[in-house]
Amino acid sequence: MEKHFQSGNKKKKSIWEDKESAKRFWEMSQKDNQKRARETIRTLNITPQSRVLDIGAGPGTLAIPLSEKVKHVTAVEPSTGMIEVFEENMANHGCNNISIVKKRWEDIDVENDLDGPYDVIIASFSLGMPDIRKSVEDMKAVASGYIYLYWFAGETSWDIHSRKIWPQLHGKEYYPTPKCDIIYNLLYQMGIYPNMETFTLGRTEIYTSMDEVINNVSNHFSVSTDKQQKTLEQYMENTLRKENENYIYDAHSTRVKMWWNTQDD
C-alpha cells in the first residue's frame, strides 16, 4: 500500500477531498435507481433493529438507503468533499438516524469515537489501509454480528491504464493497491474463514469530449500539471474507443465480497 501511495504525487484518498468529485461519485451511484446500493443492501443480514457501521461511507451511497431499513447507521468518512455532499444528502433525504465520524478508520479510537457494538459492519471498497490486520481487529472489537468486506480482484481498468501511462506522467513505475488475495490470506492467518462471492461491477462511461474525459479521470492518475494533462489527453485520445464522436471508457472490474459472522470466530 505504501508503494502505491509513493508511486504518485498524492495519495489516492485526496481525490475525494474535492466536493465536485464527491458530487460526481454520488450522481453515478444514483443511476439505474441506485442498483448497486440496492443489491448490496438486499444481501445484508439486517433487521429494523440493526445498528450498522459503514466504514468509508463516501457521500452516503449505502448509509442513506440503509438508514431507511435499520435503527441507526454510524458512518466513518474522512474526506472533506465526501462529508459535505453526505451532509447535504442527509438533509435532502430527511435522515435523522445517521451519525458521521469524520476520521480515517486507522485513526479511530474504537472505545471513544464509536458507540458499539454493531450488528453489521460494512467496509465497501474502503480497505486502502496500510495496516489491514489492525483495521480488521478494530472492526472485530466493535462487532456483535456480521462483517462485510468488499474489495478488488485482479487488475482494475484504472490499474491497466496506469501501468501503461504512469512512467510518462510521474517518471516511475505504477504500483496498484493490494488485491483481495492479500486480504483473504490475512483473514485466514487470523483464524477467519470468510464466505466469498466474486462479481463484476462497473459501467461503460460515455463522454462527449476529451475535456470531459480528462475532467473525470485526471484525479485517478494524480495529474496536477499542464504537461501531465497533455500527456494524459494524448494517451486517452489514442486508447479510448470512439462511437458517434463520443469517447467510451470501460470502467468494469472484478470485485469480491467477503463476509462472516463474528459470533462464529
Side-chain angles (χ1 to χ4, degrees), residues 73-143:
V73 178
T74 297
V76 175
E77 175 55 49
S79 301
T80 304
M82 286 294 196
I83 292 169
E84 287 185 43
V85 177
F86 194 169
E87 290 176 336
E88 290 176 3
N89 291 335
M90 286 172 59
N92 292 337
H93 287 79
C95 299
N96 57 12
N97 63 337
I98 299 176
S99 56
I100 304 177
V101 181
K102 301 175 183 180
K103 288 187 175 183
R104 299 188 309 161
W105 179 249
E106 47 266 54
D107 296 330
I108 287 284
D109 181 329
V110 294
E111 293 185 1
N112 296 315
D113 293 331
L114 301 174
D115 184 24
Y118 298 95
D119 304 295
V120 171
I121 296 177
I122 308 164
S124 181
F125 306 108
S126 57
L127 298 174
M129 305 158 184
D131 190 344
I132 191 67
R133 177 186 287 272
K134 182 180 184 301
S135 295
V136 173
E137 288 173 345
D138 286 345
M139 293 178 204
K140 289 181 61 181
V142 291

Side-chain angles (χ1 to χ4, degrees), residues 12-174:
K12 194 168 183 178
K13 71 178 180 63
S14 64
I15 294 172
W16 311 121
E17 299 295 342
D18 176 57
K19 186 176 180 180
E20 290 306 311
S21 295
K23 277 186 176 179
R24 285 196 295 269
F25 187 91
W26 170 256
E27 289 165 1
M28 285 190 293
S29 76
Q30 301 306 292
K31 292 181 179 179
D32 299 322
N33 192 27
Q34 296 179 296
K35 181 180 178 181
R36 182 214 148 192
R38 288 187 295 104
E39 290 182 351
T40 299
I41 292 170
R42 179 178 55 82
T43 63
L44 299 177
N45 198 310
I46 56 173
T47 73
Q49 296 304 310
S50 293
R51 301 178 72 255
V52 178
L53 176 64
D54 183 6
I55 300 170
T61 307
L62 291 176
I64 288 176
L66 259 174
S67 69
E68 300 172 359
K69 299 178 179 294
V70 302
K71 184 175 183 180
H72 189 269
V73 178
T74 297
V76 175
E77 175 55 49
S79 301
T80 304
M82 286 294 196
I83 292 169
E84 287 185 43
V85 177
F86 194 169
E87 290 176 336
E88 290 176 3
N89 291 335
M90 286 172 59
N92 292 337
H93 287 79
C95 299
N96 57 12
N97 63 337
I98 299 176
S99 56
I100 304 177
V101 181
K102 301 175 183 180
K103 288 187 175 183
R104 299 188 309 161
W105 179 249
E106 47 266 54
D107 296 330
I108 287 284
D109 181 329
V110 294
E111 293 185 1
N112 296 315
D113 293 331
L114 301 174
D115 184 24
Y118 298 95
D119 304 295
V120 171
I121 296 177
I122 308 164
S124 181
F125 306 108
S126 57
L127 298 174
M129 305 158 184
D131 190 344
I132 191 67
R133 177 186 287 272
K134 182 180 184 301
S135 295
V136 173
E137 288 173 345
D138 286 345
M139 293 178 204
K140 289 181 61 181
V142 291
S144 60
Y146 285 85
I147 295 178
Y148 296 85
L149 307 179
Y150 296 82
W151 199 237
F152 303 95
E155 284 194 315
T156 64
S157 59
W158 52 89
D159 283 337
I160 293 170
H161 290 305
S162 294
R163 184 163 38 80
K164 296 175 182 177
I165 191 64
W166 212 261
Q168 296 177 53
L169 292 173
H170 302 290
K172 60 183 76 171
E173 184 180 353
Y174 172 74

Side-chain angles (χ1 to χ4, degrees), residues 6 19 28-29 43 51 65 74 107 123 140 164 166-167 169 194 201 203 210 212 221-222 228 239 250 256-258:
Q6 292 167 9
K19 186 176 180 180
M28 285 190 293
S29 76
T43 63
R51 301 178 72 255
T74 297
D107 296 330
K140 289 181 61 181
K164 296 175 182 177
W166 212 261
L169 292 173
L201 186 65
R203 62 205 169 273
M210 181 52 62
E212 189 179 1
F221 298 94
S222 293
Q228 288 174 330
T239 303
D250 183 359
V256 167
K257 169 188 173 184
M258 304 181 191

Side-chain angles (χ1 to χ4, degrees), residues 184-237:
Y184 178 81
N185 279 303
L186 168 69
L187 295 176
Y188 192 95
Q189 291 168 15
M190 295 174 69
I192 301 169
Y193 312 114
N195 303 288
M196 294 185 66
E197 178 183 324
T198 304
F199 60 101
T200 300
L201 186 65
R203 62 205 169 273
T204 299
E205 298 172 357
I206 301 175
Y207 299 108
T208 59
S209 68
M210 181 52 62
D211 285 344
E212 189 179 1
V213 173
I214 299 303
N215 187 49
N216 278 273
V217 307
S218 60
N219 273 331
H220 285 286
F221 298 94
S222 293
V223 168
S224 58
T225 68
D226 290 341
K227 181 179 179 180
Q228 288 174 330
Q229 181 172 319
K230 289 178 182 177
T231 299
L232 184 60
E233 284 179 2
Q234 184 176 12
Y235 171 81
M236 289 297 175
E237 185 70 45

